[in-house]
Amino acid sequence: QVQLVESGGGLVQAGGSLRLSCVTSGRTFSSYAMGWFRQAPGKEREFVASITWSGGITAYADSVKGRFTISRDNAKNTVYLQMNSLKPEDTAVYYCASRPGIDRGYAYWGQGTQVTVSS
């Protein structure tokens, strides 16, 4: 099992910044990659960004490219999402997730942290 705990959400004005953190524990050695997802009210959960533990290979949704940066600290088993130039449409509950292997999907999820961007 892998446990994930997100933090860092909050209320920010448009154009502002927030940094989300996701601390992982448990069988973290078996994790291949970490991802951030978000879900806005009335919408489906969507992919935001991902990073592999080894090599730090990243991927981003088109909607956040150039504004969000995902990073990881292997020693702390922590993944970050730096969010700059925030827009009201970024308002959502943000979840981190763990992907056990390259041939597997995201199997473990955190409880989510609310991000609200006011206009």
Side-chain angles (χ1 to χ4, degrees):
Q1 283 282 3
V2 176
Q3 292 79 43
L4 310 173
V5 179
E6 303 101 330
S7 63
L11 174 64
V12 64
Q13 288 189 331
S17 299
L18 282 174
R19 188 177 82 154
L20 305 183
S21 299
C22 175
V23 179
T24 69
S25 60
R27 294 175 59 87
T28 55
F29 60 87
S30 64
S31 177
Y32 163 72
M34 298 292 296
W36 284 98
F37 293 76
R38 66 186 182 187
Q39 187 167 21
K43 295 186 177 181
E44 293 188 354
R45 187 176 299 183
E46 64 175 0
F47 169 79
V48 175
S50 65
I51 188 167
T52 59
W53 284 112
S54 178
I57 299 170
T58 60
Y60 295 92
D62 287 343
S63 59
V64 306
K65 279 181 181 176
R67 301 188 298 122
F68 291 11
T69 302
I70 189 170
S71 61
R72 91 280 193 221
D73 185 330
N74 293 44
K76 296 182 178 179
N77 290 329
T78 301
V79 176
Y80 305 97
L81 185 67
Q82 178 66 43
M83 305 186 295
N84 299 327
S85 302
L86 283 161
K87 306 174 181 180
E89 51 264 44
D90 294 318
T91 295
V93 177
Y94 283 70
Y95 300 89
C96 70
S98 174
R99 183 177 173 185
I102 193 172
D103 58 344
R104 296 187 59 185
Y106 290 90
Y108 304 100
W109 295 82
Q111 81 289 349
T113 185
Q114 176 71 47
V115 171
T116 303
V117 184
S118 63
S119 57

